[in-house]
Amino acid sequence: MSAFQAALLARNSTYVRACWTFAVICLTFACFQYANVHQQVAPDLEHAIRAHKWVNFFSLLLVPQTCYLIALLDTRKAALRISYGISVVSALLVLDNYVAPYGYRFSELAVDAPVELAWGERAFLLFGDTTKAYAVNRLLSLGTAVLAVFFCARAWRQRARFSNVLVWISVGLVAGTAALGGAADTGMLRVPYLSGFGFLFLAASFLLLVRREATQRLTEKIRISAALEREVESHKQSSQRFERALTNDALTRLPNREGALDKLRAMFAWSESSLTRTAVLLLDLDRLAIINGTRGYEAGNQVLIEVAQRLREHCGKRRLVARLGSARFVVGIAGHKTLAGIEREVEGVLEAIKPPFTVAGTVLNMTFSAGVAIYPDHANSPEDLLASAGLALHEARDLGPGNLRMFHPSLQQSLSERIGLENELKEALVNGEFFLHYQPQVCAVTERVLGMEALVRWQHPELGLVMPDKFIPLAESTGAIAAIGSWVLETACKQLQDWRALGFGDVRMAVNLSAQQLLLSDLGESVQAALKRAGLMGADLELEITESVLMQDPQRSIEKLEELRSLGVRLSIDDFGTGYSSLGYLKMLPVHSFKLDRSFVRDIGTSEKDLEICATAVGLARNLGLEIVAEGVEDSEQAAQLRQLGCNFLQGYYFARPLAAYAATNYLMEERESAAA
């Protein structure tokens, strides 16, 4: 039963081989006792000697098995080697046991008939002159006992799982009954072999401890499994919240641009099946900046919330209502076969948002500029339809506040130019039309240059210099940004390598990452390869990621940032404060610093609100152990105020405009010479 239970416990125990070995020991002891009984009840001496040889056989197996069990629990290689040596010696003794006439124990027997025990029972108890083989086995048994004592003592000191009082008592019983067996062999005592009965206590103790360990392990597995289930559920809920955050505007609870595009795709499919038109009405709230400047951003936000509520109530749940940007809303109109029907709906929407707004007890009369584009008349995709409506809105704003314009073919020229620019952009990298400028990042205290930000420029063969704000969105929409970003990274690292050769060891390079680059599967490998080719360390490079990029896929962004940080690369959030989710995710992002957007720095000398925003951002960075870089510094007053607030680094025209590579090198040399002077 003990062997069977040990085999069952092996399935759930960390001591699998030890449990199986103990099961074998239990079976061996059972056979030992069975043979012992046969010897004692033998009808004559011949049968008693035959049974005695089986007793010897099983007793010889017990010594190497016990030593092997101790070695498995001990885990030291020396213990295993000892057990293998004992096994070899025991195998030789087994052979001697079957060759010798009386077995390996006795050379001569002192008894030829059953003896009477103290309690009156008669049994064959063999004793007599012992052999050298018997002495060897006793030495092996003694060595195994010593090994067991040392193991138990060490386990007791280390408070291991098997350091239990029951084990000590059981080992003592086994040792005592084994000693009685030795006395019986020499004839000093007339008692049968009792070591099997002593082993019963050891079997019970061992199984009790293994069972307790297995129960604890099973309980721990159940606890871990439950914790994992809770974690998976929490992750699922977080993913759902992230999904909602990605497709919904935090202020108005309306769909954002991504959510609007998803709904427009569904509306296009429905229009195709019903042979109707789909129109988008793009609305821009006039003079929102004036309200924010004169009455505060809270008043402006209240106006935006009220506009969203009016649009939602007028259009209902079945129509598209979304917020695309600061003061820009889009309304989807579907199900009309004529332009007249679309025009009536547009008029209805404008009437719904026309009444004055009451904010903080003040009545505000607001106007809206509007642009309309129709599918399939003006565009064949949601993105192009919004772009067409945007062109119409731009024309309406040029006419003055409160105007409405419909997209018309003459505006298509702008789209054609955009498409032409996209095609030329694909060839620009191959033709070597890109180059880098570098803008210094200086220490706010010492004004020493500690970093250079790499800024890409496009020298178009016909249009001349094209700035990033015009071609970067095109590159992202066409997928060319990944190749351009890789070129920028390689070129910037090569330039830093050249500066290192000139002795500028404290300057690091800052490079911007786009959304597509951040989510590339091999980004870490590309960064590591670029650093290796340039002979740079990870800390020599700082990668800047805009917060809007991070919010496109927050979970994956965090994973990518963790991967980059493991390379030693510094990480920075660019244009911090221009989105809605930065503070919520900042504590989760493994970044070193963030850049305060120039929109806050620009009016820091004239706007108390912008000054307070900058002070709050600096305090937040200090509390989180992050550095802060203020960009857009254009005069000494801004630099002084930012320095007083505690900004770590400053960047802007006050120190230097973006410089070509040779000019940036001269700038660094001049700074070094002035410092030496």
Side-chain angles (χ1 to χ4, degrees):
M1 289 299 296
S2 297
F4 180 70
Q5 189 175 5
L8 288 178
L9 290 175
R11 296 169 54 190
N12 294 319
S13 174
T14 53
Y15 300 94
V16 178
R17 287 200 296 171
C19 286
W20 280 109
T21 303
F22 191 77
V24 174
I25 292 175
C26 290
L27 290 175
T28 305
F29 256 111
C31 294
F32 169 81
Q33 287 297 97
Y34 181 75
N36 193 23
V37 171
H38 268 275
Q39 173 191 323
Q40 296 174 31
V41 299
D44 51 43
L45 182 61
E46 181 182 354
H47 286 85
I49 292 174
R50 190 180 305 160
H52 180 72
K53 285 190 174 184
W54 281 107
V55 171
N56 291 345
F57 172 73
F58 291 115
S59 66
L60 288 171
L61 294 182
L62 287 171
V63 175
Q65 290 174 1
T66 304
C67 187
Y68 183 65
L69 174 62
I70 295 171
L72 289 177
L73 297 175
D74 197 355
T75 69
R76 291 186 296 184
K77 293 183 178 180
L80 278 174
R81 287 195 291 267
I82 291 173
S83 68
Y84 297 149
I86 291 177
S87 299
V88 172
V89 176
S90 297
L92 295 175
L93 293 177
V94 168
L95 292 175
D96 181 67
N97 179 61
Y98 283 100
V99 172
Y102 304 118
Y104 85 97
R105 290 177 189 259
F106 304 116
S107 59
E108 293 291 338
L109 290 177
V111 61
D112 58 1
V115 298
E116 186 173 341
L117 302 177
W119 51 88
E121 184 180 358
R122 294 180 63 81
F124 256 113
L125 300 180
L126 302 182
F127 57 88
D129 297 334
T130 58
T131 64
K132 292 182 179 180
Y134 175 76
V136 170
N137 188 53
R138 299 300 289 182
L139 286 175
L140 293 181
S141 301
L142 179 61
T144 302
V146 172
L147 187 64
V149 169
F150 275 110
F151 167 72
C152 291
R154 192 160 57 86
W156 183 278
R157 288 195 304 269
Q158 296 177 355
R159 298 184 180 275
R161 288 186 176 95
F162 296 100
S163 59
N164 191 282
V165 176
L166 287 176
V167 174
W168 280 97
I169 295 174
S170 302
V171 170
L173 285 173
V174 173
T177 53
L180 290 176
D185 288 333
T186 60
M188 295 176 60
L189 292 176
R190 302 293 178 87
V191 293
Y193 296 138
L194 301 175
S195 55
F197 297 101
F199 178 75
L200 285 176
F201 292 93
L202 180 61
S205 303
F206 183 84
L207 293 175
L208 180 64
L209 293 176
V210 172
R211 180 166 183 164
R212 186 179 67 182
E213 188 265 347
T215 302
Q216 291 174 349
R217 186 182 177 206
L218 184 60
T219 303
E220 183 67 12
K221 286 174 65 177
I222 294 173
R223 187 189 66 80
I224 293 174
S225 178
L228 285 175
E229 288 181 3
R230 290 194 298 270
E231 186 65 25
V232 169
E233 183 62 27
S234 175
H235 180 73
K236 187 185 298 182
Q237 293 175 359
S238 299
S239 297
Q240 291 173 351
R241 288 195 294 269
F242 288 153
E243 286 292 331
R244 288 194 293 269
L246 289 174
T247 57
N248 286 274
D249 174 57
L251 178 65
T252 62
R253 308 295 182 183
L254 293 176
N256 58 14
R257 181 180 179 83
E258 291 301 319
L261 290 173
D262 289 341
K263 290 182 179 294
L264 280 175
R265 292 185 187 100
M267 293 172 66
F268 279 18
W270 185 81
S271 291
E272 289 177 1
S273 62
S274 61
L275 301 177
T276 59
R277 288 182 169 92
T278 293
V280 291
L281 170 63
L282 209 56
L283 298 166
D284 206 2
L285 185 59
D286 298 324
R287 299 192 300 271
L288 178 64
I290 297 176
I291 295 175
N292 290 334
T294 57
R295 302 185 182 278
Y297 284 94
E298 185 63 30
N301 288 341
Q302 288 299 318
V303 171
L304 293 173
I305 293 172
E306 179 65 22
V307 171
Q309 184 175 348
R310 292 184 184 184
L311 290 173
R312 193 184 293 112
E313 290 176 354
H314 176 77
C315 298
K317 295 182 178 180
R318 292 192 302 171
R319 298 182 188 173
L320 166 64
V321 178
R323 183 187 178 205
L324 300 187
S326 176
R328 186 163 295 185
F329 295 84
V330 63
V331 176
I333 301 170
H336 294 279
K337 294 188 176 182
T338 64
L339 295 178
I342 294 175
E343 291 173 354
R344 285 194 300 270
E345 283 220 36
V346 169
E347 291 174 1
V349 172
L350 295 176
E351 285 295 322
I353 58 176
K354 185 177 180 180
F357 295 82
T358 302
V359 177
T362 303
V363 178
L364 302 174
N365 290 299
M366 306 299 299
T367 59
F368 292 83
S369 297
V372 179
I374 302 172
Y375 167 83
D377 303 55
H378 302 146
N380 292 317
S381 70
E383 292 84 356
D384 289 343
L385 190 65
L386 288 178
S388 298
L391 292 173
L393 175 62
H394 182 74
E395 186 179 50
R397 291 182 66 87
D398 290 342
L399 297 175
N403 277 282
L404 166 68
R405 298 295 291 175
M406 178 80 73
F407 179 84
H408 52 87
S410 62
L411 296 176
Q412 190 67 38
Q413 183 179 356
S414 299
L415 286 177
S416 299
E417 292 177 357
R418 179 178 183 270
I419 293 173
L421 205 59
E422 288 179 355
N423 294 330
E424 293 165 348
L425 182 64
K426 295 177 182 178
E427 303 296 328
L429 189 60
V430 178
N431 297 335
E433 297 172 9
F434 290 111
F435 62 95
L436 294 183
H437 275 177
Y438 303 91
Q439 188 171 32
Q441 296 176 339
V442 304
C443 175
V445 177
T446 64
E447 293 194 0
R448 286 185 55 214
V449 178
L450 297 180
M452 285 284 190
E453 181 179 4
L455 304 169
V456 64
R457 300 289 186 263
W458 180 14
Q459 187 65 41
H460 192 280
E462 297 177 3
L463 301 177
L465 185 63
V466 182
M467 299 303 287
D469 58 349
K470 189 170 184 180
F471 71 83
I472 289 296
L474 296 180
E476 290 179 338
S477 63
T478 58
I481 190 64
I484 295 174
S486 178
W487 176 85
V488 170
L489 181 63
E490 290 282 349
T491 306
C493 288
K494 179 63 171 61
Q495 181 61 59
L496 185 59
Q497 181 187 32
D498 294 342
W499 286 336
R500 286 284 189 271
L502 294 174
F504 299 106
D506 296 334
V507 179
R508 61 173 176 258
M509 183 66 72
V511 177
N512 290 280
L513 283 185
S514 69
Q516 292 184 24
Q517 279 182 283
L518 182 63
L519 300 181
L520 286 174
S521 59
D522 61 346
L523 175 61
E525 298 175 3
S526 300
V527 172
Q528 191 173 19
L531 291 171
K532 185 176 181 180
R533 280 190 288 269
L536 302 175
M537 303 292 290
D540 295 330
L541 179 65
E542 180 171 275
L543 298 177
E544 298 182 0
I545 310 98
T546 60
E547 59 173 310
S548 59
V549 167
L550 295 173
M551 292 307 105
Q552 288 186 26
D553 191 343
Q555 187 61 37
R556 191 174 179 190
S557 296
I558 291 172
E559 293 173 359
K560 283 294 182 181
L561 294 181
E562 291 284 5
E563 179 185 356
L564 292 171
R565 180 154 183 160
S566 68
L567 301 176
V569 175
R570 290 178 54 85
L571 302 170
S572 175
I573 302 176
D574 196 10
D575 298 335
F576 178 77
T578 58
Y580 291 99
S581 303
S582 296
L583 295 179
Y585 286 105
L586 184 59
K587 62 182 181 181
M588 300 169 57
L589 298 174
V591 298
H592 299 83
S593 64
F594 59 79
K595 298 184 73 173
L596 191 62
D597 188 66
R598 65 181 70 250
S599 62
F600 302 121
V601 175
R602 181 177 58 245
D603 299 325
I604 193 174
T606 58
S607 171
E608 288 293 330
K609 189 172 292 291
D610 283 342
L611 180 61
E612 184 62 30
I613 290 174
C614 292
T616 302
V618 173
L620 175 65
R622 186 182 297 113
N623 291 335
L624 293 177
L626 302 176
E627 296 177 346
I628 186 168
V629 181
E631 59 179 352
V633 181
E634 297 185 353
D635 54 50
S636 58
E637 182 180 356
Q638 291 174 346
Q641 286 181 311
L642 291 167
R643 188 180 297 113
Q644 186 176 2
L645 290 176
C647 279
N648 304 100
F649 302 98
L650 306 177
Q651 178 181 353
Y653 287 177
Y654 175 65
F655 302 100
R657 291 177 175 271
L659 305 170
Y662 74 90
T665 303
N666 293 337
Y667 184 92
L668 290 172
M669 288 183 171
E670 290 173 2
E671 186 207 36
R672 183 166 61 185
E673 291 172 359
S674 62

